[in-house]
Amino acid sequence: MLTSRSIPINEELQPAMIQNYGFMVVCSLPDLGIVHVSENIKDQTGKETAVLLNKPLSILLDPLTLTHLKETLNLTRFGFVQSDAGSEQPPQMPPDGEPDDTGVSNEERLSLVDAAQLWFEPTINGRNFYLSTQIIAQELILEFEPIRQGLTTAQFSHLLDRLSANIRQAKTLEALLQSTARQLRQITDFDRIMVYRFDAMWNAEVVAEAKRDDLSSYLGLRYPATGFPPKTRTFYHKYWTRMTVDVETEPVRLIPTVNPITLRLPDLSGSNLKAASEIQIKHLRTIGVKASLVIAITHNTKLWGLLVCHHHRPKFIDYSLRKLYQTIAQILSDHILLKSTTERLDYIYQIDTIEDRLFQQMTQNWDVVAGLIQFETTLLDLTECTGAAIYFDRELILQGETPTQAETLELIIWLNQAVAQNIYATNNLGSVYAPAKLFLNKAAGILAISISKSLGEYVIWFRPEIIQTVTWNYPPPASAESPKNDTQLNWQRSFDKWQKMIKNLSRPWQESELMAAGRLRENIINIVIHNANEMRALNQKLGKANAELEAFSYSVSHDLRAPLRNIEHFTEILLEEYSERINNDGLEILESILQSAQYMNQLINDLLAYSRIGQADKNYNHFDLLPIINQAKDTLIKTEPERKITFDIRPLPQVYGDRPLIRQLVFNLLSNAIKYTRPIKDSHIEIGGQQTETEVTFYIKDNGVGFKDKYVDKIFDVFSRLHTQELFEGTGIGLAIAQRIVQSHQGRIWAESQINLGTTFFVSLPLNQTKKDNQEV
Amino acid sequence: MIDLLYIDDNPNDAQLLFRTLEKQRITSKYFLLKDGEEALEFFFGQLNDNNPLPMPKIVLLDIKLPKVTGFEVLQKLKSDHTTKKIPVIIFTSSNERQDLELAYQLGANSYLVKPDKYQKLKELVQYLGKYWLDLNEI
């Protein structure tokens, strides 16, 4: 069973050898003349080789069996024996059929062995035999083996009932295999019965085992695919069983070795009696096994695994019992199909449930990231993965075993640029994305869903390289003293080869995982859309409220002005036309009324200006700051001609913005500086600025009264004043207006101040990024 | 005969204007309408069909009026052949650019912002007399 193509010895070119527990006769067709007999035929039948060779088969078989055989053969010939026609459709082959060392193509050999197997129970020289026959390459091969512990039909069906009941009761695939191994061992008392399961690359894993208590377990062991070359798999697929009764008994040869007419070796590739290869024998000896029985388990016409029975002493299982095993293996095969289907459905259902739960978690607060990581079920549960990453809302969150933050971000950038699909899975990331070779232990395979291509948002699951996840073992030698022999070295080579084969690979992603990831993607997008809609509705509401507020303050300001104007006018009329009739006290009161009205008028004007910043359409241009600053400076100095203020105006950058608004901004800041330096004898105001790649910043620095650090944010609030009206006039809106202007330009304004040392206001305005609507004015 | 028809919902503004008109000896033949509806009734009402009221020499019109706005009144006046030749002067507290533009678009003959200072109001009244009432008499 564990032959290896890396060894140059080839079974088919060796003289045909059979095991000694039975004997073999090969006849030519259609005359049924005896061409070969096995050299042990005399021990088994008492007949000399020389008596038999080149004689008709009737010399060996009783007339009744011979008649039966001939009848069946005629049927068979009519139906099946067309091997030499060569026009036959090649039979179904295992997926990776390769030409083997014999130079005989698989196709050819398969057509050779494609023949009926029939059996009889003749009696020769008083001994009962099972006779099984097959036609291969125009030769009839007759294999005789002794009937030993022949089962009665009742026993057979009883055993079958017990086994199949047991199989039906098993809840999981694992339990099914385990209990079958145990039951079979009870019947035949093998030292060890194992179930091998093949993976996609034909490596085998021991998935179930029943054994003698004193033996160490092979459960979980893996055998490389090189131990199961295509021809071995084809054999099992076709003939189901192979038995080795005693590795220590010398095999016997056929006489003559070569067919004297056709000059060909008889083809024993489908023979039950065929001796095990040297490699198989070596392997069995290494692990202390004398006898083995291997039965195929198929699944959907594909070899699914093997039932492997080992015994540490010679063991012969007779034909009827082997048939039982074979039947059990057949039932097992059917149940595996059923079980694996239901288990897959269970798994899909389980994934569905997890996906549902994730969705509910996400909708709890309409928060995607929180829903995926903050609850009992996380996105790590959705697939079989060791780590996951979410890049959402410009934040990268890593869960479990993942590449580093930087590596993951690079990977996401690559995904966004190189992968068009919204759902992407690979179990060989290194082959498409070279940097992955640095973190194969975390992410040899990825499953990624894109949430937004334009924002580069992704959810990614990671799987490590297979080598990281599999423990590869060799069966231990029979005794501790045994040195590492050829077989083990061969295995080491196989392992190295296997390692090379699976290098860089993770386990492949399942269709059901891709589907679940796809559904999760849809749900995330639904939540994102929901949130976006909420946001838009909120924005609309806000926009509406804002517009209403601006309209309101605009209209209030206008309506407020009318009565104020009237108060002013009437007071002025009183002062102008009735001053002789009002005493000084009354005149002072009238003056106060006038001042109050004027102050309120100023307040309203400022409020109006403030509310208009949001309303006015802006006309963006590039322009120099210097003329605006000079203009504001000249206007402001005129209001306080008695003061001596020195201005230090340094080089200033061009700004990009709405000129009237920037003019007002500069005016407000400069008037602030002039106002708050009033108590300082040598008022000094410095203005300067600079440009970076993305913005221009300018500052207005005074040596005025300053303010405490804690008020640094408060100064920009509407109506907020840090000084009394008597000390410094003003409505407290000037800086609020300044801030609103800056904000409407997507800029920043801030202040640094120290009490009695002065204040510096900084304004940063973004540069024009588009450059296309540049209009030099 | 009415020299000046003033349409404004603010009685104080009206009182101040009329007082100034008299003090400055511009005219005492003025008339006040308190909203746009009254104004439309004055110019285009059923009552006037048989016994038309004498048209004023000039109309002083506020923009923000109850019921029917000053702009609507202006538009009606300037699109009817019986009234379109009457000079209409917008008299408002708004110095919004778009209000000014719309007023001239609709055919206003002048646009005056209600002054903050009483002194300015006196100057404005002088101007009204000189440029609009006197002009009309020629």
Side-chain angles (χ1 to χ4, degrees):
Chain A
M1 121 200 85
L2 285 163
T3 60
S4 169
R5 280 174 294 124
S6 59
I7 302 294
I9 303 162
N10 194 284
E11 294 174 51
E12 316 304 333
L13 290 180
Q14 297 297 307
M17 306 280 268
I18 65 162
Q19 298 179 64
N20 202 14
Y21 70 86
F23 67 95
M24 182 179 279
V25 175
V26 180
C27 292
S28 56
L29 284 173
D31 61 305
L32 292 179
I34 296 174
V35 183
H36 304 272
V37 295
S38 57
E39 62 182 344
N40 62 345
I41 197 160
K42 191 182 176 221
D43 304 339
Q44 299 267 6
T45 65
K47 293 182 195 292
E48 292 289 345
T49 308
V51 174
L52 295 167
L53 279 176
N54 301 318
K55 296 283 159 34
L57 191 54
S58 56
I59 197 167
L60 188 67
L61 285 184
D62 58 280
L64 187 63
T65 306
L66 196 61
T67 311
H68 280 163
L69 178 63
K70 276 180 175 166
E71 277 169 10
T72 334
L73 275 178
N74 281 334
L75 282 175
T76 311
R77 281 167 63 78
F78 184 71
F80 295 95
V81 185
Q82 297 173 357
S83 313
D84 284 355
S87 61
E88 248 178 306
Q89 281 290 99
Q92 201 70 34
M93 291 215 308
D96 56 349
E98 297 164 38
D100 71 28
D101 306 330
T102 58
V104 180
S105 78
N106 275 326
E107 210 173 300
E108 205 176 327
R109 194 194 11 270
L110 281 169
S111 74
L112 294 178
V113 296
D114 187 12
Q117 282 178 288
L118 307 160
W119 83 92
F120 309 90
E121 294 184 15
T123 305
I124 300 171
N125 267 2
R127 292 178 70 184
N128 295 327
F129 291 93
Y130 282 114
L131 163 60
S132 60
T133 66
Q134 49 182 318
I135 298 163
I136 296 179
Q138 291 287 23
E139 286 179 335
L140 177 68
I141 295 171
L142 299 101
E143 297 182 75
F144 299 82
E145 57 175 88
I147 297 178
R148 290 256 175 93
Q149 63 268 68
L151 287 172
T152 65
T153 313
Q155 281 173 313
F156 186 91
S157 64
H158 174 68
L159 280 173
L160 201 57
D161 276 356
R162 249 175 63 197
L163 279 163
S164 61
N166 201 55
I167 284 170
R168 279 196 303 274
Q169 281 159 13
K171 290 249 160 27
T172 65
L173 182 59
E174 198 193 1
L176 167 68
L177 301 175
Q178 202 59 52
S179 76
T180 306
R182 206 171 41 243
Q183 291 270 328
L184 288 176
R185 194 169 110 75
Q186 277 173 15
I187 300 167
T188 52
D189 202 31
F190 271 108
D191 287 337
R192 187 196 303 274
I193 295 185
M194 295 173 282
V195 179
Y196 289 11
R197 178 184 191 158
F198 291 116
D199 67 14
M201 292 177 288
W202 298 107
N203 303 299
E205 183 185 355
V206 179
V207 292
E209 181 187 49
K211 61 173 185 63
R212 226 170 60 199
D213 292 344
D214 59 313
L215 296 176
S216 58
S217 174
Y218 289 179
L219 201 63
L221 233 67
R222 276 164 193 268
Y223 298 91
T226 49
F228 312 94
K231 68 180 173 202
T232 305
R233 301 202 301 267
T234 306
F235 171 83
Y236 283 120
H237 196 244
K238 201 154 187 60
Y239 297 106
W240 288 83
T241 63
R242 170 148 282 174
M243 178 169 67
T244 303
V245 173
D246 183 7
V247 295
E248 303 304 341
T249 308
E250 284 295 314
V252 294
R253 62 176 64 225
L254 289 186
I255 301 169
T257 307
V258 177
N259 183 326
I261 299 156
T262 63
L263 299 177
R264 281 162 72 172
L265 291 169
D267 183 349
L268 301 190
S269 58
S271 155
N272 292 320
L273 282 171
K274 194 176 92 165
S277 71
E278 277 182 51
I279 292 153
Q280 288 165 18
I281 288 171
K282 249 187 188 171
H283 163 62
L284 294 175
R285 277 185 184 147
T286 305
I287 55 175
V289 169
K290 295 276 190 287
S292 88
L293 173 64
V294 180
I295 300 156
I297 304 170
T298 59
H299 177 314
N300 271 352
T301 73
K302 194 182 138 194
L303 194 61
W304 179 90
L306 298 171
L307 191 64
V308 178
C309 311
H310 284 168
H311 205 63
H312 291 240
R313 279 161 292 126
K315 190 169 182 70
F316 172 71
I317 301 293
D318 94 340
Y319 193 76
S320 62
L321 212 50
R322 290 214 304 279
K323 276 285 159 208
L324 176 72
Y325 266 55
Q326 206 171 317
T327 309
I328 293 300
Q330 181 61 61
I331 295 170
L332 202 56
S333 300
D334 296 343
H335 275 263
I336 284 167
L337 178 64
L338 196 70
K339 275 281 180 308
S340 63
T341 308
T342 51
E343 276 186 12
R344 206 173 61 234
L345 287 175
D346 281 353
Y347 179 60
I348 289 171
Y349 175 74
Q350 186 195 330
I351 287 188
D352 263 358
T353 315
I354 289 167
E355 208 280 312
D356 274 356
R357 219 173 296 151
L358 288 175
F359 181 59
Q360 277 162 18
Q361 289 171 184
M362 288 192 291
T363 50
Q364 205 155 316
N365 295 315
W366 295 99
D367 184 336
V368 171
V369 174
L372 292 178
I373 62 173
Q374 281 176 6
F375 295 83
E376 201 184 324
T377 302
T378 74
L379 82 165
L380 289 174
D381 299 318
L382 192 65
T383 69
E384 278 180 33
C385 64
T386 45
I390 314 168
Y391 183 69
F392 191 75
D393 265 353
R394 288 190 236 166
E395 203 183 342
L396 177 67
I397 292 158
L398 301 176
Q399 298 269 295
E401 289 284 306
T402 66
T404 64
Q405 286 257 344
E407 285 167 340
T408 310
L409 283 174
E410 283 293 316
L411 173 65
I412 287 169
I413 290 168
W414 171 80
L415 272 173
N416 206 25
Q417 285 168 355
V419 178
Q421 302 103 294
N422 291 323
I423 303 163
Y424 175 72
T426 175
N427 70 332
N428 191 358
L429 184 61
S431 70
V432 285
Y433 178 65
K437 300 214 165 113
L438 298 173
F439 49 75
L440 290 176
N441 59 338
K442 307 274 170 57
I446 60 163
L447 168 54
I449 54 174
S450 86
I451 300 164
S452 162
K453 283 259 168 202
S454 57
L455 299 176
E457 292 180 337
Y458 279 87
V459 175
I460 307 173
W461 291 267
F462 300 109
R463 268 181 189 169
E465 200 177 2
I466 290 176
I467 291 181
Q468 321 281 335
T469 59
V470 167
T471 44
W472 186 280
N473 286 313
Y474 312 108
S479 60
E481 304 90 65
S482 308
K484 219 175 191 184
N485 61 21
D486 289 355
T487 311
Q488 277 169 306
L489 288 175
N490 189 27
W491 279 5
Q492 178 64 54
R493 278 195 292 275
S494 296
F495 175 61
D496 294 344
K497 196 168 170 185
W498 178 82
Q499 254 190 329
K500 223 172 265 170
M501 202 159 64
I502 61 154
K503 195 160 172 47
N504 300 343
L505 299 184
S506 77
R507 276 194 308 110
W509 299 91
Q510 302 299 311
E511 188 61 35
S512 48
E513 291 174 312
L514 262 76
M515 278 166 62
R519 277 197 305 278
L520 182 72
R521 174 177 177 269
E522 278 167 27
N523 282 335
I524 291 175
I525 287 171
N526 283 339
I527 288 168
V528 170
I529 290 171
H530 171 273
N531 288 352
N533 285 343
E534 292 276 299
M535 192 70 84
R536 219 173 48 201
L538 202 66
N539 262 341
Q540 270 173 2
K541 257 191 218 164
L542 265 178
K544 215 173 145 195
N546 225 14
E548 270 171 10
L549 194 68
E550 269 162 9
F552 172 78
S553 63
Y554 172 81
S555 116
V556 162
S557 302
H558 273 277
D559 290 347
L560 277 177
R561 281 153 72 95
L564 263 182
R565 197 174 50 237
N566 297 150
I567 292 168
E568 266 186 76
H569 289 183
F570 286 125
T571 313
E572 280 178 291
I573 290 171
L574 272 179
L575 282 168
E576 212 173 294
E577 296 174 17
Y578 298 88
S579 53
E580 308 91 43
R581 285 189 243 169
I582 303 168
N583 65 18
N584 279 348
D585 189 37
L587 288 175
E588 268 177 39
I589 290 170
L590 285 175
E591 279 294 343
S592 293
I593 291 173
L594 204 56
Q595 269 178 25
S596 297
Q598 279 165 354
Y599 177 64
M600 185 138 183
N601 208 18
Q602 187 56 44
L603 262 179
I604 290 165
N605 279 340
D606 286 352
L607 257 186
L608 203 57
Y610 182 77
S611 77
R612 280 173 59 173
I613 296 163
Q615 279 190 330
D617 291 332
K618 288 174 198 67
N619 187 12
Y620 279 80
N621 287 307
H622 284 99
F623 52 85
D624 285 323
L625 268 180
L626 188 62
I628 287 174
I629 284 176
N630 280 332
Q631 196 186 3
K633 187 189 77 178
D634 295 345
T635 311
L636 286 163
I637 291 172
K638 274 182 205 155
T639 62
E640 301 185 60
E642 73 288 353
R643 283 185 61 193
K644 182 181 158 286
I645 307 168
T646 53
F647 285 90
D648 178 3
I649 301 178
R650 311 211 165 166
L652 287 161
Q654 271 208 337
V655 295
Y656 180 68
D658 180 76
R659 192 195 287 259
L661 286 180
I662 300 294
R663 188 184 289 131
Q664 188 171 3
L665 166 70
V666 167
F667 188 90
N668 286 13
L669 291 178
L670 208 55
S671 87
N672 224 58
I674 289 171
K675 187 173 22 174
Y676 292 104
T677 50
R678 205 174 290 146
I680 313 298
K681 265 188 197 143
D682 297 313
S683 305
H684 183 83
I685 293 168
E686 180 187 314
I687 301 156
Q690 62 181 35
Q691 179 173 340
T692 67
E693 269 180 32
T694 53
E695 58 182 18
V696 292
T697 304
F698 65 91
Y699 64 87
I700 296 176
K701 180 181 180 178
D702 66 52
N703 61 342
V705 295
F707 56 84
K708 280 185 192 157
D709 222 24
K710 61 178 172 179
Y711 298 122
V712 74
D713 293 320
K714 216 173 176 185
I715 55 169
F716 294 108
D717 293 346
V718 182
F719 295 129
S720 94
R721 294 172 47 85
L722 301 181
H723 305 277
T724 60
Q725 186 70 28
E726 283 107 71
L727 215 51
F728 296 105
E729 78 292 347
T731 56
I733 300 181
L735 287 178
I737 290 173
Q739 187 187 41
R740 203 148 182 224
I741 290 172
V742 172
Q743 283 172 349
S744 77
H745 282 75
Q746 276 81 47
R748 293 173 293 132
I749 182 167
W750 70 100
E752 288 169 4
S753 186
Q754 272 184 295
I755 217 143
N756 293 330
L757 287 176
T759 306
T760 309
F761 280 96
F762 296 89
V763 173
S764 280
L765 298 174
L767 283 174
N768 178 20
Q769 299 294 347
T770 58
K771 290 277 178 197
K772 62 180 176 216
D773 44 308
N774 273 8
Q775 294 171 319
E776 278 304 327
V777 177
Chain B
M1 186 65 180
I2 300 169
D3 276 346
L4 183 143
L5 178 67
Y6 185 27
I7 309 164
D8 196 333
D9 63 326
N10 183 340
N12 290 325
D13 276 357
Q15 190 191 347
L16 276 163
L17 180 80
F18 294 154
R19 190 177 190 280
T20 314
L21 278 173
E22 288 192 15
K23 279 266 171 184
Q24 305 282 316
R25 296 199 169 78
I26 304 296
T27 181
S28 55
K29 288 184 273 184
Y30 45 78
F31 193 72
L32 178 70
L33 295 174
K34 289 197 182 65
D35 61 48
E37 203 174 66
E38 277 187 17
L40 294 182
E41 182 63 27
F42 177 90
F43 286 108
F44 309 110
Q46 298 265 322
L47 265 173
N48 297 341
D49 285 353
N50 297 326
N51 186 18
L53 283 168
M55 288 292 145
K57 280 187 186 169
I58 57 168
V59 173
L60 212 55
L61 177 62
D62 190 12
I63 293 174
K64 268 190 79 176
L65 292 174
K67 297 174 189 170
V68 179
T69 70
F71 284 130
E72 285 175 82
V73 173
L74 174 63
Q75 191 187 23
K76 291 259 163 60
L77 285 177
K78 287 302 176 184
S79 52
D80 192 293
H81 71 280
T82 60
T83 52
K84 71 177 172 192
K85 288 194 174 148
I86 305 169
V88 179
I89 297 154
I90 300 297
F91 191 55
T92 173
S93 57
S94 162
N95 55 5
E96 300 298 316
R97 191 184 171 79
Q98 61 262 44
D99 284 349
L100 180 112
E101 280 173 5
L102 184 57
Y104 280 119
Q105 257 173 39
L106 293 175
N109 299 77
S110 186
Y111 188 100
L112 302 176
V113 177
K114 289 177 182 174
D116 286 349
K117 301 284 178 201
Y118 180 54
Q119 187 55 41
K120 294 267 184 215
L121 183 66
K122 287 193 286 191
E123 286 168 24
L124 190 141
V125 164
Q126 285 289 340
Y127 159 86
L128 272 183
K130 210 176 210 159
Y131 289 96
W132 291 106
L133 288 172
D134 290 357
L135 201 71
N136 258 22
E137 274 176 1
I138 294 165

